[in-house]
């Protein structure tokens, strides 16, 4: 299988990203097309098929903090969303995606990555922890549909020696 990561073409891909989000998270709050314009989204292509997507917000801490100026930290990459279509799950693409996200952050000089996920999404929490992310807090009743707490995780990236 050939895999590659490709930047989404905004605003053209905004509707496709929203539709993809609904396929991955059918019973959850999903971003409308207009919301995707606030992020830096990327597609995971498997043999030319859009199998996954993720979105970054540079220099932001976490969704609940976006309106707090102290939360906009230099050199922090916030992974807003990561999703893989059900047909491609449990085949190693989550590990591939996480490795790519960490490499992306390092390549662009970030010193820290933050992300959050639903508390019931045990697979994503385990994947992040496998890659060295630490749980920093849990926020009850963060998600509305379906109701769930959010688990916030972070990964400190070591500075590379020259």
């Amino acid at each position: 299988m050939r895999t590659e990561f490709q930047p989404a073409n905004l605003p053209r891909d905004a509707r496709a990203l929203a539709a993809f989000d609904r396929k991955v998270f059918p019973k959850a709050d999903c971003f409308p097309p207009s919301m995707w314009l606030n992020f830096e989204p990327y597609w995971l292509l498997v043999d030319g098929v859009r199998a996954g997507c993720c979105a970054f917000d540079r220099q932001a801490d976490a969704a609940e903090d976006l309106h707090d100026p102290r939360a906009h930290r230099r050199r922090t990459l916030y992974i807003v969303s990561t999703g893989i279509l059900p047909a491609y799950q449990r085949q190693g693409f989550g590990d591939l995606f996480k490795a790519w996200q960490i490499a992306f952050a390092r390549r662009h000089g970030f010193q820290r990555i933050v992300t959050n996920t639903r508390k019931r999404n045990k697979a994503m929490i385990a994947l992040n922890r496998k890659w060295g992310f630490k749980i920093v807090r849990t926020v009850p009743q963060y998600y509305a549909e379906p109701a769930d707490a959010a688990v916030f995780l972070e990964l400190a990236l070591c500075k590379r020696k020259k």
Side-chain angles (χ1 to χ4, degrees):
M1 280 188 215
R2 198 184 101 201
T3 59
E4 62 182 300
F5 298 91
Q6 182 181 85
N9 185 336
L10 292 176
R12 188 186 73 199
D13 283 353
R15 282 197 170 121
L17 287 159
F20 188 92
D21 206 22
R22 283 189 301 278
K23 288 179 186 173
V24 174
F25 307 107
K27 296 178 182 174
D29 297 324
C30 294
F31 296 135
S34 61
M35 188 73 152
W36 286 95
L37 301 174
N38 298 316
F39 305 129
E40 185 177 339
Y42 290 84
W43 294 108
L44 162 62
L45 302 176
V46 177
D47 292 332
V49 174
R50 291 175 174 172
C53 76
C54 74
F56 301 133
D57 190 356
R58 294 175 183 242
Q59 300 182 27
D61 193 346
E64 73 174 26
D65 302 325
L66 289 179
H67 301 293
D68 180 350
R70 294 170 299 181
H72 291 268
R73 299 184 184 170
R74 291 174 40 92
R75 306 224 184 270
T76 296
L77 180 67
Y78 174 40
I79 302 173
V80 178
S81 180
T82 301
I84 298 172
L85 287 175
Y88 291 89
Q89 292 175 2
R90 293 171 179 54
Q91 297 180 41
F93 294 113
D95 276 313
L96 181 66
F97 225 153
K98 196 55 62 178
W100 179 81
Q101 291 170 336
I102 294 168
F104 177 96
R106 285 192 169 119
R107 186 172 53 252
H108 289 89
F110 290 99
Q111 295 174 350
R112 182 172 166 262
I113 303 172
V114 293
T115 191
N116 62 287
T117 190
R118 290 175 176 276
K119 188 175 181 180
R120 70 181 69 188
N121 192 345
K122 305 292 186 200
M124 183 54 82
I125 294 168
L127 178 66
N128 280 299
R129 294 193 70 186
K130 175 181 173 182
W131 283 90
F133 284 75
K134 306 285 187 229
I135 295 174
V136 293
R137 69 183 183 274
T138 300
V139 178
Q141 301 174 352
Y142 182 83
Y143 294 100
E145 260 324 295
D148 200 0
V151 175
F152 288 81
L153 304 104
E154 75 175 28
L155 176 67
L157 300 173
C158 299
K159 292 182 182 178
R160 291 198 171 180
K161 295 180 182 180
K162 293 181 181 179

